[in-house]
């Protein structure tokens, strides 16, 4: 490990966060255990660790059950031109509708992220080259981009190197398993 790596670790720890290093299987197991626990955490992973978590979590059955669909090229282009950031690579998102009939999908998710965290922070996440991000059990309140109403339906997303994994409660998990076993 070179000195600059330790300076980065020191900076993160100095900011009140922990850094963990381990072989890939250990890191993936920690992410899985966190998702299953229902606790909230953000993991900054290698692309191979991210892929392993996604292969475990985002099965075709779960994606179908939660309504995830590929984000269209048109919506990706709209994110770039209207919001000023680019989420390159593959992206999947469910689409929900607010009671007033307004859609909420990938575009609205990125727009809300910019409103809450700023354009620079959003760009920084999408610009990561060697790092992928998993948000385990995030507590994000979905807000309609048009009328600002808080939505009860959850939004699920997974981008090329950024995604969420949510623990489904025992009832949902059991019902999901029964339908797909």
């Amino acid at each position: 490990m070179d000195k600059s790596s330790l300076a980065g670790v020191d900076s993160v720890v100095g900011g009140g966060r922990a850094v963990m290093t381990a072989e890939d299987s250990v890191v993936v197991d920690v992410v899985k255990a966190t998702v299953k626990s229902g606790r909230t955490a953000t993991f900054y992973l290698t692309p191979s660790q991210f892929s392993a978590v996604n292969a475990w979590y985002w099965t075709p059955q779960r994606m179908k059950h939660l309504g995830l669909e590929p984000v269209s090229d048109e919506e990706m282009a709209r994110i770039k031109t209207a919001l000023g950031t680019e989420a390159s690579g593959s992206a999947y998102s469910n689409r929900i509708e607010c009671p007033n009939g307004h859609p909420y999908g990938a575009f609205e998710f990125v727009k809300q992220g910019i409103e809450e965290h700023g354009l620079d922070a959003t760009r920084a996440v999408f610009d990561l080259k060697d790092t992928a991000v998993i948000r385990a059990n995030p507590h994000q309140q979905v807000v309609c981009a048009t009328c600002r109403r808080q939505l009860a339906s959850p939004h699920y997303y997974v981008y090329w190197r950024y995604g969420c994994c949510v623990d489904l409660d025992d009832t949902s998990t059991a019902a999901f398993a029964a339908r797909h076993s």
Side-chain angles (χ1 to χ4, degrees), residues 138-158:
H139 295 288
Q140 177 187 16
Q141 177 60 57
V142 180
V143 177
C144 176
T146 304
C147 68
R148 311 309 300 165
R149 182 177 184 150
Q150 291 187 351
L151 307 180
S153 299
H155 180 253
Y156 301 100
Y157 54 90
V158 62

Side-chain angles (χ1 to χ4, degrees), residues 29-44:
D29 286 347
V30 168
V31 175
K32 288 178 181 181
T34 303
V35 171
K36 291 175 185 178
S37 77
R39 292 182 173 170
T40 300
T42 301
F43 295 94
Y44 299 90

Side-chain angles (χ1 to χ4, degrees), residues 27-170:
V27 173
V28 170
D29 286 347
V30 168
V31 175
K32 288 178 181 181
T34 303
V35 171
K36 291 175 185 178
S37 77
R39 292 182 173 170
T40 300
T42 301
F43 295 94
Y44 299 90
L45 307 171
T46 67
S48 64
Q49 293 163 347
F50 181 81
S51 293
V53 171
N54 280 341
W56 161 75
Y57 186 81
W58 288 113
T59 64
Q61 296 86 359
R62 182 172 295 194
M63 290 179 79
K64 182 178 179 182
H65 173 73
L66 297 177
L68 266 74
E69 299 175 350
V71 177
S72 70
D73 292 340
E74 294 79 18
E75 191 165 12
M76 293 295 268
R78 186 173 170 223
I79 290 168
K80 183 177 181 179
T81 57
L83 300 178
T85 191
E86 186 172 10
S88 62
S90 61
Y92 295 85
S93 170
N94 67 327
R95 298 195 66 74
I96 54 180
E97 190 173 297
C98 114
N100 295 327
H102 307 123
Y104 190 100
F107 177 85
E108 292 77 17
F109 171 74
V110 174
K111 182 177 182 186
Q112 184 174 343
I114 291 169
E115 290 169 357
E116 292 179 7
H117 307 290
L119 181 58
D120 288 342
T122 304
R123 280 184 179 155
V125 170
F126 287 133
D127 288 345
L128 292 171
K129 300 293 182 227
D130 299 319
T131 306
V133 181
I134 291 280
R135 297 197 60 219
N137 304 304
H139 295 288
Q140 177 187 16
Q141 177 60 57
V142 180
V143 177
C144 176
T146 304
C147 68
R148 311 309 300 165
R149 182 177 184 150
Q150 291 187 351
L151 307 180
S153 299
H155 180 253
Y156 301 100
Y157 54 90
V158 62
Y159 293 94
W160 182 51
R161 289 204 175 144
Y162 182 82
C164 71
C165 296
V166 178
D167 178 49
L168 300 173
D169 64 34
D170 290 339

